Amino acid sequence: VQVEFYVNENTFKERLKLFFIKNQRSSLRIRLFNLSLKLLTCLLYIIRVSLDDPTNQVTCARRKTKKHYSSDACYDHFPSQVTVALISFLQAMLLVYLSYKGNIWEQIFQISFIIEMINTVPFITTIFWPPLRNIFVPVFLNCWLAKSALENMINDLHRAIQRTHSAMFNQVLILICTLLCLVFTGACGIQHLERAGKNLSLFDSLYFCIVTFSTVGYGDVTPRIWPSQLLVVIMICVALVVLPLQFEELAYLWMERQKSGGNYSRHRAQTEKHVVLCVTSLKIDLLMDFLNEFYAHPRLQDYYVVILCPTEMDIQVRRILQIPLWSQRSSPELQSMMDDAEACFILSSRNEVDRTAADHQTILRAWAVKDFAPNCPLYVQILKPENKFHVKFADHVVCEEEFKYAMLALNCVCPATSTLVTLLVHTSRGQEGQMSPEQWQRTYGRCSGNEVYHIRLMDSKFFGEYDGKSFTYASFHAHKKYGVCLIGTKREDNKSILLNPGPRHIMSGTDTCYYINITKEENSAFIFKQEEKHSRGLSTAGVYDAPSRLPVQSIIASMGTVAIDLQNPEPAVDSSKLVVPTENGAGSRRPSIAPVLEIADSSAILPCDLLNDPSEDEINQSDEEGAPVIDCVKGYPPNSPYIGSSPTLCHLLPQKAPFCCLRLDKGCRHNSFEDAKAYGFKNKLIIVSAETAGNGLYNFIVPLRAYYRPRKELNPIVLLLDNPPDNHFLEAICCFPMVYYMAGTIDNLDNLLQCGIIYADNLVVVDKESTMSAEEDYMADAKTIVNVQTMFRLFPSLSIITELTHPSNMRFMQFRAKDCYSLALSKLEKIERDKGSNLAFMFRLPFAAGRVFSISMLDTLLYQSFVKDYMILIARLL
């Protein structure tokens, strides 16, 4: 049996309602036709009035009074008016029928229906009674019906094309239409009523209405009879009520638009280069970091930044965007043309208590951008490593916890690694601290301008002469001659960047060289202070025997050009140059390294077996007497804590440790140790204080157990956790040697002593998620700072590495209220901030020593990737 199903009721009325009202496109056509019809009636009225001769009087036999009516010459246009009136009447009755819901009086007493009847019924009646053709019909009132039809048509247009214009546009359109309708109604009404008086033309009436409504009132044209004067009074009263309401709504929408932004038009999107910054909440620190880093590159000066933010901007952000430097470059928008953008940056809200929920919002935004604009380059910041594979399709992804824990771990074995990377990913001219009386501050500030750049070897003056030489030779001599640091290279036919590939790698002219310098080579000028032939004539041994000096670039303020002083064997006198200190006050210094060969001698390089290198792990029995020997193997961790983690060759236990043996503060059947002292560790401990055992902690352990670290130098790792870890996390770490955990907090002295703080070399305090959100943003670090200050007082020799939410709070680390040196650093920081430095906090001793770190300082890594697409990879390799 064939059954037909209908979405709507299968009746004639429902079908008409579907066509005239419910269907978006057909309803839009009907309203467009209705608008055209009303405008046509107004046009016919203007034509009839223009052709009318007011001096020709027709006697109305029925009323026996003389009135001024239309002449017979206007009857030529009367059939058109009757036809339009008939169509309008039928349409109005049809809409009443379709809109009927049980109360007919509600339909009849609508203003639009009454006006429709006044303007159509008299014309239809003249078909049956011709004398009524001389009656006056106020057809000009159809302008109000046209205004209503226009509003409805715009609403249907929005529904049909699934695109909403701004409420500001709609309100401005309504205001203009209201003004036009008031002026048109007043002009036509006064013109008709004055036919019994001064016989004003339609233009004179229009002139009078405009002068009156604008409150100018010249007085050269005035109504003479009382009906027209009464109409003027009525129109002014209506204008005094209607227009203020319209202007109030317009002003309200304008203020709301100023708060939340506007629309970035398609024309601007197609003609202007722009990038989109998508954030959950816009903070002043994040905005300034992005703008300063993005516009630090010369080729990005003509780009616009379109900010998409669902929350209202605070007053500080609005003030920043009103500064002329930024107001012409950035704007907060409600809608931007994503498909025409050069890039889209999606940043996570790291201050949320639930960081997983924040990641879910970021993932959904990334999916939305990829679905809407698949060709737009996507730069995504994700918080938790387990969520990274959801945005693997993005062009560049920075996982916050991966970088954070890796930085904190490297700070334990190589102090100030986080400081080095932070300064490398920040753009600076290297002029910070140059007025300081301290030599280290001037050197530190000047060298903070170093960044990573790239150039092809055949196009480079720095490295072009080392074609066919080993990487080690090129790196050493380029640094010796030009002061640049060659850190990596990439083959033309290989996408992988090789960081310090060693002497086996032979440089080729098509290689891409990655180097660290204050500026890129293209912006450098070469100044030879001695004859080049003499410099080239020096033998290799002569270079090493000469007084060793590290040339440092001097900044030329004009045009931002960098002049590089080439190697001069004469001792430097200029204090702006770095001179290697002499040993024991002697006048000469023993060379610190042996001569570097142009091409590596294969016989001098021993074969390297990563999985079995007995020379590395030789144990001196005399040194190891009484210490437990840990049996380790090299391999890849068998259990990955999350999808997408990169396999790393590490020191592993031959067999997994039982979960009970991982707990430091509780004995088990395998051992009876209950504190760190009982274990008798030979090496100093590394203690990590965290709230929960997240997957990010896995990235802290891996660098400290990497294969390249000698087995006898492995430090025991103790995880001091507020909440006990789950079995999933224990399964991931049970294969690593000397990794333990215990439940406790850093504000409990007993917990600290039990985990072995007096035997520790480093204490890492990770920012807790529960404290990242506070009523006052900068108070989020209060508890962490106070706890660290307590440990600093109790254990002054302990190296405490702290993660903070806000970089500006690092001035409170190791706080000394009456220390003159700390006060001098605070004054220097204020001076640098007044000069507009982006790294005013760099001179604080905790930051310079790598004792404090904030992941927000690495936000610029994502921004720099827009210009240097290799920055994220190089930061990973570092």
Side-chain angles (χ1 to χ4, degrees), residues 405-656:
Y405 283 104
M407 290 291 181
L408 294 174
L410 291 176
N411 270 352
C412 297
V413 296
C414 182
T417 300
S418 60
T419 304
L420 169 66
V421 176
T422 300
L423 295 178
L424 282 179
V425 300
H426 274 78
T427 299
S428 170
R429 296 183 61 189
Q431 294 182 342
E432 286 84 358
Q434 296 309 298
M435 304 303 295
S436 172
E438 295 279 343
Q439 174 63 32
W440 78 268
Q441 292 174 356
R442 294 195 299 270
T443 304
Y444 176 53
R446 184 165 57 248
C447 295
S448 69
N450 284 287
E451 289 185 51
V452 180
Y453 300 99
H454 72 290
I455 192 172
R456 290 186 68 185
L457 187 136
M458 66 173 60
D459 303 327
S460 173
K461 189 174 182 63
F462 286 156
F463 315 110
E465 59 186 288
Y466 307 119
D467 186 7
K469 307 295 193 302
S470 69
F471 175 87
T472 310
Y473 182 88
S475 179
F476 176 79
H477 284 276
H479 183 266
K480 198 72 176 173
K481 185 174 182 180
Y482 298 103
V484 299
C485 181
L486 178 64
I487 60 172
T489 183
K490 184 179 72 171
R491 294 292 191 190
E492 186 179 23
D493 55 351
N494 194 348
K495 295 183 179 180
S496 300
I497 297 178
L498 304 176
L499 193 67
N500 189 16
R504 289 177 177 272
H505 183 89
I506 304 302
M507 305 295 291
S508 173
T510 58
D511 286 355
T512 301
C513 300
Y514 298 93
Y515 62 97
I516 297 176
N517 196 22
I518 286 185
T519 187
K520 56 184 179 180
E521 181 180 335
E522 292 83 349
N523 295 344
S524 304
F526 297 88
I527 303 173
F528 293 87
K529 292 188 175 180
Q530 60 179 352
E531 294 184 4
E532 187 174 359
K533 59 181 181 179
H534 174 68
S535 177
R536 291 183 177 179
L538 292 175
S539 62
T540 304
V543 173
Y544 301 132
D545 294 337
S548 178
R549 181 173 64 89
L550 176 64
V552 177
Q553 295 81 343
S554 58
I555 303 295
I556 297 179
S558 60
M559 305 303 291
T561 306
V562 174
I564 298 179
D565 302 326
L566 301 186
Q567 175 66 31
N568 185 357
E570 297 299 327
V573 182
D574 189 0
S575 61
S576 65
K577 305 300 178 185
L578 277 178
V579 180
V580 178
T582 58
E583 187 176 5
N584 299 326
S588 61
R589 183 172 182 269
R590 178 179 57 84
S592 57
I593 62 174
V596 181
L597 302 179
E598 295 186 9
I599 301 179
D601 185 3
S602 57
S603 61
I605 300 177
L606 298 177
C608 180
D609 185 1
L610 297 180
L611 297 178
N612 185 17
D613 189 2
S615 63
E616 180 184 299
D617 292 328
E618 287 180 357
I619 301 175
N620 191 337
Q621 294 297 331
S622 62
D623 294 338
E624 297 286 343
E625 254 181 51
V629 179
I630 300 174
D631 189 15
C632 294
V633 296
K634 292 181 181 179
Y636 295 99
N639 298 315
S640 175
Y642 57 90
I643 300 175
S645 60
S646 302
T648 306
L649 195 62
C650 299
H651 292 285
L652 303 176
L653 292 172
Q655 294 181 350
K656 294 181 181 179

Side-chain angles (χ1 to χ4, degrees), residues 830-842:
K830 294 175 183 177
I831 294 174
E832 295 300 330
R833 185 180 293 111
D834 292 339
K835 291 181 180 179
S837 173
N838 304 331
L839 298 170
F841 53 80
M842 62 180 290

Side-chain angles (χ1 to χ4, degrees), residues 73 139 280 336 638 705:
V139 183
T280 301
S336 66
R705 294 294 179 263

Side-chain angles (χ1 to χ4, degrees), residues 350-374:
R350 64 166 55 92
N351 294 332
E352 295 290 336
V353 176
D354 190 353
R355 293 165 71 84
T356 302
D359 268 353
H360 292 168
Q361 296 175 11
T362 302
I363 292 168
L364 207 60
R365 288 192 178 100
W367 289 354
V369 172
K370 203 63 180 177
D371 178 70
F372 181 75

Side-chain angles (χ1 to χ4, degrees), residues 108-316:
I108 292 177
F109 287 107
Q110 287 184 356
I111 301 296
S112 59
F113 182 78
I114 295 174
I115 295 176
E116 195 76 69
M117 294 300 103
I118 292 175
N119 290 331
T120 57
V121 172
F123 284 107
I124 298 175
T125 308
T126 58
I127 300 176
F128 310 101
W129 193 14
L132 283 179
R133 294 181 180 180
N134 288 324
I135 194 173
F136 171 72
V137 181
V139 183
F140 55 83
L141 293 178
N142 276 333
C143 65
W144 296 98
L145 299 179
K147 171 180 172 291
S148 177
L150 180 61
E151 294 178 16
N152 295 330
M153 187 184 70
I154 292 176
N155 293 333
D156 284 341
L157 181 64
H158 293 168
R159 286 193 306 158
I161 63 178
Q162 298 294 321
R163 183 177 297 167
T164 303
H165 288 271
S166 65
M168 177 69 66
F169 169 78
N170 294 345
Q171 193 61 34
V172 170
L173 184 63
I174 292 173
L175 177 62
I176 294 174
C177 292
T178 302
L179 287 173
L180 291 177
C181 290
L182 282 173
V183 173
F184 182 72
T185 303
C188 293
I190 293 172
Q191 186 273 337
H192 175 73
L193 294 175
E194 280 296 315
R195 293 170 67 134
K198 197 175 180 181
N199 289 329
L200 293 177
S201 65
L202 189 61
F203 178 78
D204 291 336
S205 300
L206 179 64
Y207 168 75
F208 167 75
C209 289
I210 292 177
V211 169
T212 302
F213 286 142
S214 63
T215 69
V216 176
Y218 289 118
D220 51 345
V221 178
T222 55
R224 295 299 178 86
I225 61 176
W226 71 268
S228 58
Q229 293 173 346
L230 179 62
L231 178 61
V232 171
V233 172
I234 295 174
M235 295 300 296
I236 290 177
C237 292
V238 171
L240 289 177
V241 174
V242 174
L243 292 182
L245 294 177
Q246 299 285 341
F247 278 111
E248 180 185 7
E249 184 70 18
L250 186 63
Y252 173 77
L253 291 175
W254 176 261
M255 290 187 293
E256 289 298 316
R257 181 180 179 180
Q258 291 297 105
K259 291 180 181 179
S260 58
N263 292 328
Y264 196 71
S265 65
R266 179 171 292 275
H267 173 71
R268 290 189 63 187
Q270 293 176 346
T271 56
E272 298 173 349
K273 291 183 178 180
H274 66 282
V275 298
V276 179
L277 175 63
C278 183
V279 291
T280 301
S281 59
L282 192 60
K283 302 297 183 181
I284 185 65
D285 295 337
L286 184 145
L287 178 63
M288 292 309 301
D289 278 346
F290 181 86
L291 294 179
N292 286 322
E293 191 63 38
F294 186 80
Y295 287 113
H297 302 278
R299 74 180 185 90
L300 301 183
Q301 299 302 311
D302 297 331
Y303 279 68
Y304 283 84
V305 176
V306 181
I307 303 170
L308 289 181
C309 182
T311 58
E312 183 179 341
M313 295 182 299
D314 57 23
I315 188 65
Q316 287 183 319

